[in-house]
Amino acid sequence: MPRIAFTVNGKAGTAEVPDNQLLSSLLRDTLRLTGTHIGCDTSQCGACTVHVDGRSVKSCTMLAVQADGAEITTIEGLANGDTLHPMQAAFRTHHGLQCGFCTPGMVMAAVAFAEKNPSPTEDEVRRSLEGNLCRCTGYQNIVDAVITGAKAMASARS
Amino acid sequence: MQDFKYSRAKSLADAQSTLKGAAEGKYLAGGQTLLPVLKQRLASPSDLIDLAGIADLAGIKAGAQSITIGAMTRHADVAASADVRRLIPALAELAGGIGDPHVRNRGTLGGSVANNDPAADYPAAVLGLGATVKTDRRSIAADNFFDGLFTTKLAEGEIITAIEFPRPNRAGYVKFPHPASRYCLVAVMVSEGPQGVRVAVTGAGQQGVFRVSAIEAALAKSFTVKAIEGIKIADGDMMSDMHAGAEYRAHLVGVLARRAVAKALAGTSN
């Protein structure tokens, strides 16, 4: 079994991974980071979105062994202690969720998007969320949250 | 997930020899099609040979007359490339509309073109811009590369290394995305460049991507929207499914071709 080394949420780690293990399974089953959700397992819903080397990816559509040497960020890595990440805070302010199942993926997608788009339009936000499905169809508040969160992230940087 | 043996190739030669030694090996590029296909058990390779570790397969090189894009270049990198946006904006736009942002961060040019999905975007760029597919053993012109549904002229074990896109004088791409999957219900690439006028359609044809000679001939005489207004597209070779019938797809080819020409004309300064 290949042994891989990686960084998850700032902490270095290693794991023995079966060749066919998905990154989503490494995170959830091996590392017990269950904030990353598996919604469809067919690469469509985006609930499993995490960041690999700074880019948003669907962790159910990448092999764990492909993350060898990578820097991974999951939803658990966003908050600083008890202080929510600005995007998480914006989701709370706007109530950008209904059942909450898609929320980790939505937030991870939104953070990756907002890092490159500090002041997005509503249309840009909607297009950026094409890879993330909310079965409750609670999109309006999610979009509002991403617009607010992007601005908050930009002002936190400046 | 079904069982397979994973290996990461260090070089093209390494990838080829691993494939030869495998009972039923498959190359893994970005995995955005192959991994979902494995989960659905539509394929069951004994070995996956990852091409991501091979040096020089990713990257974008702009020349005077063309842009050469490495096979392992991710869609997001093509979409964001300053060179591609400046020299072939229609190609940057196409890459930026594939799938969704997360898929674009993993999916690769070579993977998409080798797979030749009849509803994928990139085949329209390769055929519509008159690109050349470079492999580990030869160069193949776009017109000789695609060979029907999910089939290409690539030989067993042959690896796409890069694709060279000649710089067009003007080009436009318009896509009618499937509302759920973001694949092309129909999409049209129109270009006018060193190889004359080329019009390629993806998403519609029963045999995958194809050129439309009637539209090309009319545009060669006059590169205007008006020149192709009366052209009727036959629906005999169009795909038909629950999302769109053959007649509707044929109709969309005409509509999207006109919009693509308008876009190409609007972007002439590029």
Side-chain angles (χ1 to χ4, degrees):
Chain A
M1 227 186 282
R3 184 162 195 87
I4 63 166
F6 46 80
T7 307
V8 178
N9 300 329
K11 276 191 219 146
T14 59
E16 300 238 329
V17 297
D19 288 18
N20 65 349
Q21 186 175 27
L22 296 167
L23 178 57
S24 50
S25 160
L26 171 71
L27 294 171
R28 288 179 53 85
D29 303 330
T30 310
L31 303 176
R32 304 303 295 162
L33 293 168
T34 53
T36 297
H37 289 173
I38 297 172
C40 67
D41 207 23
T42 57
S43 318
Q44 306 191 38
C45 80
C48 67
T49 303
V50 301
H51 299 177
V52 175
D53 293 329
R55 291 176 161 215
S56 60
V57 305
K58 292 177 176 174
S59 62
C60 82
T61 313
M62 180 170 167
L63 299 172
V65 64
Q66 291 180 295
D68 192 15
E71 206 166 288
I72 302 160
T73 306
T74 69
I75 189 74
E76 289 93 341
L78 289 187
N80 183 5
D82 288 339
T83 309
L84 291 179
H85 183 282
M87 189 60 77
Q88 290 175 306
F91 269 69
R92 181 155 85 178
T93 303
H94 288 275
H95 197 71
L97 66 146
Q98 289 186 25
C99 83
F101 191 85
C102 71
T103 312
M106 287 284 179
V107 172
M108 296 310 288
V111 168
F113 167 72
E115 273 164 4
K116 289 184 179 161
N117 298 275
S119 181
T121 63
E122 181 183 331
D123 186 51
E124 287 165 346
V125 169
R126 286 184 184 276
R127 271 187 284 131
S128 80
L129 296 176
E130 277 185 351
N132 296 79
L133 303 181
C134 167
R135 290 303 301 272
C136 310
T137 71
Y139 291 105
Q140 187 56 51
N141 287 357
I142 293 171
V143 171
D144 292 344
V146 177
I147 291 170
T148 300
K151 284 183 191 145
M153 282 171 61
S155 62
R157 278 196 296 266
S158 62
Chain B
M1 180 67 115
Q2 57 180 288
D3 222 7
F4 52 78
K5 186 175 180 315
Y6 170 92
S7 60
R8 194 173 166 89
K10 293 178 189 70
S11 65
L12 290 170
D14 184 24
Q16 287 152 350
S17 69
T18 309
L19 189 84
K20 263 196 198 127
E24 202 193 328
K26 263 204 174 297
Y27 295 131
L28 174 65
Q32 300 305 285
T33 298
L34 183 53
L35 294 179
V37 160
L38 294 189
K39 288 187 196 182
Q40 293 175 67
R41 296 186 180 263
L42 296 172
S44 46
S46 61
D47 290 65
L48 286 192
I49 301 145
D50 194 344
L51 305 178
I54 302 175
D56 302 331
L57 278 190
I60 298 170
K61 289 186 202 106
Q65 305 300 325
S66 66
I67 297 182
T68 301
I69 303 178
M72 285 298 290
T73 310
R74 317 275 170 180
H75 307 327
D77 293 327
V78 175
S81 158
D83 284 330
V84 179
R85 292 166 76 111
R86 183 168 49 87
L87 300 172
I88 318 181
L91 179 60
E93 188 187 333
L94 176 147
I98 297 172
D100 61 57
H102 323 313
V103 167
R104 293 195 288 274
N105 281 335
R106 295 287 304 161
T108 66
L109 170 63
S112 171
V113 170
N115 188 47
N116 192 21
D117 188 307
D121 293 85
Y122 264 131
V126 172
L127 192 62
L129 292 167
T132 303
V133 180
K134 315 258 181 185
T135 78
D136 52 351
R137 57 198 80 167
R138 58 183 168 151
S139 290
I140 310 170
D143 285 318
N144 302 325
F145 181 80
F146 299 106
D147 199 23
L149 298 186
F150 297 103
T151 313
T152 69
K153 292 285 173 62
L154 289 173
E156 183 65 32
E158 189 170 7
I159 300 172
I160 300 178
T161 53
I163 296 182
E164 183 178 7
F165 294 92
R167 186 183 168 185
N169 300 328
R170 48 197 167 190
Y173 180 69
V174 178
K175 168 178 178 177
F176 191 116
H178 183 291
S181 73
R182 288 342 210 186
Y183 273 93
C184 306
L185 204 62
V186 179
V188 181
M189 174 68 86
V190 171
S191 78
E192 193 257 301
Q195 299 166 34
V197 174
R198 298 179 68 96
V199 177
V201 177
T202 185
Q206 282 181 12
Q207 291 305 312
V209 67
F210 65 94
R211 290 173 66 184
V212 189
S213 51
I215 297 180
E216 289 180 352
L219 289 174
K221 279 189 202 141
S222 164
F223 198 92
T224 58
V225 175
K226 210 170 164 42
I228 59 171
E229 259 169 8
I231 296 176
K232 284 258 177 295
I233 307 294
D235 61 14
D237 295 328
M238 297 291 164
M239 283 195 281
S240 189
D241 56 30
M242 64 186 284
H243 308 294
E247 195 186 351
Y248 181 51
R249 278 192 162 89
H251 174 72
L252 278 180
V253 170
V255 172
L256 300 186
R258 292 195 290 275
R259 288 185 191 167
V261 170
K263 232 175 177 174
L265 289 166
T268 298
S269 60
N270 282 303

